Amino acid sequence: PIAPPSVPDSQSFAGRCCGVVAVAIAVSVSDPEYSLNWAQLDSVAAMATIILGSQWGDEGKGKLTDILCPSFRYCARAAGGHNAGHSIVANGVSYSFHLLPSGLVNPKCVNLIGSGVVFHVPSFFKELAELQEKGLDTTDRILVSDRCQVNFDLHAAVDGLEEVELGSRKLGTTKRGIGPSYSCRAARNGVRVHEIFDEETFERKLRQLATG
């Protein structure tokens, strides 16, 4: 079992820098017999809990989010895109999450997609429809930052071509265009969600992307 992390004093420099996030815990576990004593975490007075994966995926982040969400009013996704995959079984129904936060399973939890996420619009609505078909009411419980970088199908095409070009040195990406989307974000030549609603800006920036 791990010892509870120390919480910075609110008056200290570290405490002020932490702001909303009082505690961040990243645990890398390689021992299959490892067990975490959750009771030790009860004494940590955190305003927010951060779930981080430190083993390149498939650590069970989505399931852990679902377990913790009944204790929280908000569940926020901070990064990534629709390349993720979380399966949650609740009341005998299996739900699949890719772009949407898995906190949606909790009917009292408001879910946020933050500005660090690369946002694929068709996948967002497709996933919402699939959840609603299974009886999950998401009305007024999902909010998207208008500063999200938009992930277009052309990003996926670039992703696939780059993998082919790398040959035996390929990264093994999901070919969903996540890397190229973040490249556009870093280069400041991508499209953000709020720009979709400005027809002139949207067309100009999309054409620039399409022409390379």
Side-chain angles (χ1 to χ4, degrees):
I2 62 172
S6 59
V7 181
D9 182 86
S10 60
Q11 299 304 313
S12 69
F13 175 77
R16 293 195 300 273
C17 288
C18 282
V20 174
V21 181
V23 178
I25 304 170
V27 180
S28 178
V29 180
S30 57
D31 182 358
E33 300 300 322
Y34 182 94
S35 63
L36 179 64
N37 184 354
W38 292 101
Q40 288 186 313
L41 301 182
D42 290 341
S43 61
V44 181
M47 295 172 65
T49 295
I50 299 177
I51 300 172
L52 299 174
S54 59
Q55 298 201 93
W56 304 283
D58 292 331
E59 308 96 342
K61 298 184 295 295
K63 288 182 174 62
L64 183 55
T65 299
D66 179 57
I67 290 170
L68 295 177
C69 268
S71 302
F72 291 85
R73 292 179 59 190
Y74 300 97
C75 175
R77 184 166 181 196
H82 66 303
N83 60 321
H86 303 304
S87 296
I88 303 293
V89 178
N91 300 318
V93 181
S94 179
Y95 302 99
S96 295
F97 293 89
H98 301 283
L99 180 60
L100 297 174
S102 52
L104 278 168
V105 173
N106 176 11
K108 296 182 180 179
C109 187
V110 175
N111 291 256
L112 316 171
I113 294 181
S115 60
V117 173
V118 288
F119 190 76
H120 188 251
V121 178
S123 293
F124 173 79
F125 287 107
K126 179 176 181 289
E127 196 171 330
L128 268 182
E130 290 173 350
L131 293 177
Q132 290 168 351
E133 286 174 4
K134 293 185 177 182
L136 192 62
D137 184 10
T138 61
T139 306
D140 296 329
R141 293 200 300 114
I142 179 70
L143 301 173
V144 180
S145 170
D146 64 354
R147 295 299 189 268
C148 283
Q149 192 77 25
V150 179
N151 178 342
F152 292 105
D153 290 343
L154 63 86
H155 289 122
V158 170
D159 201 355
L161 290 172
E162 288 180 344
E163 287 286 86
V164 171
E165 189 175 80
L166 287 170
S168 61
R169 296 179 292 109
K170 66 181 180 180
L171 300 176
T173 74
T174 58
K175 300 180 182 179
R176 298 288 181 92
I178 307 303
S181 293
Y182 277 113
S183 294
C184 285
R185 181 187 181 193
R188 300 180 182 178
N189 62 4
V191 177
R192 294 192 290 186
V193 167
H194 72 91
E195 292 172 322
I196 294 176
F197 303 98
D198 182 333
E199 185 175 345
E200 182 179 343
T201 299
F202 177 65
E203 181 178 354
R204 173 176 54 80
K205 299 192 77 170
L206 183 57
R207 287 185 181 278
Q208 287 175 346
L209 277 179
T211 56

